[in-house]
Amino acid sequence: MDFLTKYGYTPNQEAMGRALELIAANLDNVASEKVYKDCFSMMDLTTLKTDDTPASVAKLVTKVNAFQQGYPEWPLPASVCVYSNFASVVARERACDFNITVVSACFPSSQSFLEVKLKECELAVEQGADEVDIVLALNSFLAEDYEAASEEIRQIRACIDAVAARQGRKVHLKVILETGLLRTPEKIANASFLAMEAGADFIKTSTGKVDVNATPAAAYVMCECIAKYHELTGKKIGFKPAGGISSAADALCYYSIVSTVLGKEWLNKELFRFGVSRVANSILSAVEQKTVSYF
């Protein structure tokens, strides 16, 4: 399917380049305590290391639980993001108001049997996941088998919805496009529309596990696709840049892209998230005007 024709969207690289230059030049004017704290409140505070253990994940959750004792004027991060097998650890240790996000469905490669992916997602939700981040099946998408790529998302959507319904709650689905491997704005746009049509609540740039992760250019295309999808369907889809976001300035850049393309109604944790493992301390340091290494 040609999603670009269906949605009447063509990436204009020249116009995007000009817009991104203006955004970069204006970051100092965007920076403020309020904006930094807003960015902090939209973080999925992430640990996705090979040597993660129940104890290390519990330690991170304990830090989040205690955060507002030391920083009472600050919001909590939106969620803690972990591998699926640690959902129960976060659920057990959580003592304040943040969500449990998991990466699932054979993250980060998405190279396995669909039955395996579905079972992993099912177990993650059963054990407490509020949000499930999966990777677009690039094995199908890059082969231009768009129906297979869509069907996988639809089945995962149905799976997590069914488990959540049995628990009397709802679970959000984020679909990672792995934009650094898509390489062209047109492929990024096609993947964005495909994922939104198939049931994604959010579209996300990257896993953080490949050579090229989140970039402002990819983010701009994705946000334009979200805007076009909203225009034509009335549905608001969230956006999550992740991978390589390490500084407060990076956060301001993506905040400004969302503000510019989608508007202020997207600047909340229901529709905008950052996937971060390092930027939290950078944002704290920018506001506190001293080096902070809390997380």
Side-chain angles (χ1 to χ4, degrees):
M1 177 181 291
D2 183 354
F3 290 100
L4 302 191
T5 299
K6 179 176 181 178
Y7 287 96
Y9 173 73
T10 302
N12 184 330
Q13 294 190 66
E14 185 177 338
M16 284 191 292
R18 289 195 300 269
L20 289 171
E21 286 178 4
L22 290 172
I23 286 170
N26 193 50
L27 290 185
D28 286 345
N29 294 323
V30 174
S32 70
E33 180 174 331
K34 180 185 183 304
V35 169
Y36 281 131
K37 287 182 176 179
D38 284 348
C39 289
F40 194 91
S41 75
M42 296 182 285
M43 292 189 314
D44 290 345
L45 190 65
T46 302
T47 181
L48 297 174
K49 300 191 292 289
T50 303
D51 61 351
D52 282 341
T53 64
S56 69
V57 171
K59 182 178 179 181
L60 176 61
V61 176
T62 298
K63 286 186 175 183
V64 177
N65 289 337
F67 176 69
Q68 289 181 322
Q69 294 174 22
Y71 297 90
E73 303 302 318
W74 282 76
L76 289 169
S79 81
V80 169
C81 178
V82 295
Y83 284 112
S84 291
N85 51 303
F86 293 119
S88 60
V89 176
V90 184
R92 183 180 68 241
E93 301 293 333
R94 177 173 55 178
C96 53
D97 186 20
F98 62 86
N99 280 358
I100 301 169
T101 298
V102 297
V103 293
S104 200
C106 301
F107 175 96
S109 69
S110 193
Q111 296 282 16
S112 190
F113 303 101
L114 177 56
E115 292 85 352
V116 174
K117 299 177 188 182
L118 291 168
K119 191 63 178 179
E120 184 182 359
C121 292
E122 176 187 335
L123 290 170
V125 176
E126 283 180 349
Q127 294 181 22
D130 301 300
E131 307 177 12
V132 177
D133 292 17
I134 66 168
V135 182
L136 173 68
L138 293 180
N139 49 14
S140 297
F141 182 84
L142 293 176
E144 298 186 1
D145 188 349
Y146 297 145
E147 177 54 33
S150 295
E151 179 61 17
E152 186 162 301
I153 296 170
R154 287 194 293 267
Q155 288 203 35
I156 291 172
R157 168 91 267 174
C159 171
I160 66 173
D161 284 349
V163 180
R166 290 199 295 269
Q167 299 174 332
R169 62 194 185 96
K170 292 184 177 181
V171 171
H172 282 100
L173 177 65
K174 306 193 198 86
V175 177
I176 304 164
L177 308 185
E178 202 68 288
T179 53
L181 299 181
L182 299 182
R183 305 189 189 284
T184 70
E186 289 76 15
K187 285 183 179 178
I188 292 169
N190 265 317
S192 297
F193 289 124
L194 182 153
M196 290 188 285
E197 271 198 4
D201 295 304
F202 273 73
I203 53 175
K204 175 178 170 182
T205 59
S206 319
T207 61
K209 305 296 186 181
V210 297
D211 290 341
V212 177
N213 291 289
T215 66
Y220 205 96
V221 171
M222 291 171 68
C223 287
E224 286 197 323
C225 291
I226 290 170
K228 178 61 72 172
Y229 190 75
H230 176 248
E231 176 189 330
L232 295 179
T233 69
K235 297 177 182 177
K236 290 182 177 178
I237 304 298
F239 172 64
K240 179 177 173 179
I245 302 173
S246 60
S247 70
D250 291 337
L252 289 179
C253 176
Y254 290 106
Y255 179 97
S256 297
I257 290 170
V258 171
S259 179
T260 299
V261 180
L262 293 169
K264 294 186 184 302
E265 59 192 296
W266 255 263
L267 297 175
N268 59 74
K269 66 182 180 180
E270 304 306 320
L271 291 169
F272 182 30
R273 296 288 181 85
F274 296 95
V276 301
S277 57
R278 294 174 291 171
V279 77
N281 288 331
S282 181
I283 292 174
L284 282 166
S285 298
V287 173
E288 299 294 326
Q289 297 187 331
K290 63 183 179 181
T291 300
V292 177
S293 300
Y294 182 85
F295 292 106

